[in-house]
Amino acid sequence: MTDTASAAMLEINDLNSFYGESHVLHNVSFHVGRGEVVTLLGRNGAGKTTAMRSILGIVPKRCGSIRLCGKELVGLPRYQIPRLGIGYVPEERGIFASLNVIENLLLPPIIKKGGMELEQIFALFPNLNERASTQGTRLSGGEQQMLAIARVLRTGAELILLDEPTEGLAPVIVDQIELAIRTLKDRGFTILLVEQSFRFASKVADRHYILEEGHVVDMIPNAQLASKRAILNQYLGL
Amino acid sequence: MTTILGVPAQALSGQLLLGLINGSFYAMLSLGLSVIFGMLGIVNMVHGALYMVGAFTAWMMLTYLGISYWGALLIAPLVVGVLGMVIERVFLRYLYEVDHLYGLLLTFGLTLVLESMFRYNYGASGLPYPIPAALRGGNDLGFVYLPTYRGWVVAMSLAVCFGTWYLIERTRLGSYLRAATENAILVEAFGINVPRMIALTYGLGVALAGLAGVMAAPIYQVSPTMGSNLVIVVFAVVVIGGLGSIMGSIVTGICLGLLEGLTKVFYPAASNVAIFIAMAIVLIVKPAGLFGREP
């Protein structure tokens, strides 16, 4: 793997993460260039979500190097990491039950200039505007996912961490999420995507890193996906 | 003389007024306890002692510095709030990961320390605190004689309770607080300084107890154990209202004060246990409390 690290927005080197006694990530290295959409693919338990949580510091222990635009994140207090420009859309979506839709949407503080305006967000996800005063968790699964994405768009974060955005959603909703990710890429957002669905990943991403048992075992540019189909199937156990 | 259910109307309304005043204190104290438990998961046994510290701060300010009730009303809650934030930073923050029981034991220990300190210096008997001149006297409302200071306590307590409810349920800061109560890690992952927010929340919660202490000083006497007598009832209020529910604490606090007052009229012997009987019934019928969310 050649490294174009100098231009990388996010650069991870020799990351090791632990949950108590169990060593989950082993010398994981990868990078995401500015404006790229990069996926982490792998089977259940390969360490994809842990990699994402490690970036934000929400694992019990991690070491190695995680740099955002050259700035080291390991060692920073947790609340300062997102302030450097990271928006997080967790796997479980994390919509707050005690907050209505608009309160959920306005919860993450603005960290930089240049975030999307509310009208632009509502143009992207019209459902949310109609349900502004609904309690957050009363939304459908698809709407909750949209809300989870929408709420990090206005903060000015340039790197978005999307953890399994299509999990458990109907195909028509998945299409909407796909469209949203394309729109965000066109707007210049950098996206790190964790996916189980390699079909979905192939439609939106530029490159794919394959994780196996906590190791990065391969990197496949999207253009070579067709020719590497056999090896990919082997990795993912399809 | 008019009677209601065989009880003189004067006695009834008198006891109801007394109940309303006790209820005002229950509401203000249980509000802070409820917010603290919701956010920190700490069963804050030291709440009663900090109410006592609020009352003593007012007494000391008047006695040693000549600062009036009005000054104490502002400064004593600040003193108690800062003391609370120190307690949170020095002790409580190490307990969030462990069982709730540890927080209860630690705050119970702090209660003993604080009460002993004041008993050592000021003795166990109560110290008088005068009602401020502007709030002396009273009005005959026809059905009941309302001392001005007691009316003031009820009005202030309602204002403080409503203000706190508004802060938590209707403002941006409050939405951070509600969100962090649900999922602190995610709120932190959005870039909000949760540890600082937790310290401030604890400070605010105990400042309410300090404020209640100042307001109580002219009614009850200022004594080292004034909080212990109250805190058990206040815990019952929190349990009945539903742990973590703001509105539950306010409404239940006032209602239980009134219930206590009514019991004093109709069956005085039971007045001390009425609240606990209510608690037992509520726990059997609706274990999450009257306003609590079912798990």
Side-chain angles (χ1 to χ4, degrees), chain B residues 178-229:
Chain B
R178 277 175 286 144
T181 300
E182 260 184 72
N183 187 346
I185 289 178
L186 185 56
V187 170
E188 211 169 14
F190 288 145
I192 295 167
N193 187 344
V194 171
R196 188 178 63 190
M197 196 163 79
I198 287 177
L200 285 172
T201 305
Y202 189 77
L204 174 79
V206 299
L208 286 174
L211 179 66
V214 180
M215 283 161 57
I219 297 185
Y220 313 109
Q221 294 209 315
V222 178
S223 82
T225 50
M226 64 190 284
S228 315
N229 304 336

Side-chain angles (χ1 to χ4, degrees), chain B residues 106-169:
Chain B
L106 183 111
T107 51
F108 182 63
L110 288 175
T111 304
L112 297 180
V113 171
L114 284 172
E115 287 188 357
S116 306
M117 273 169 55
F118 280 95
R119 190 176 315 132
Y120 183 77
N121 287 304
Y122 296 100
S125 60
L127 305 163
Y129 187 96
I131 293 176
L135 297 174
R136 284 182 197 144
N139 293 296
D140 196 343
L141 303 180
F143 58 95
V144 68
Y145 176 78
L146 177 67
T148 309
Y149 187 76
R150 306 205 162 198
W152 154 257
V153 165
V154 174
M156 260 297 273
S157 144
L158 285 177
V160 167
C161 287
F162 180 76
T164 309
W165 174 84
Y166 187 88
L167 176 74
I168 291 172
E169 298 291 338

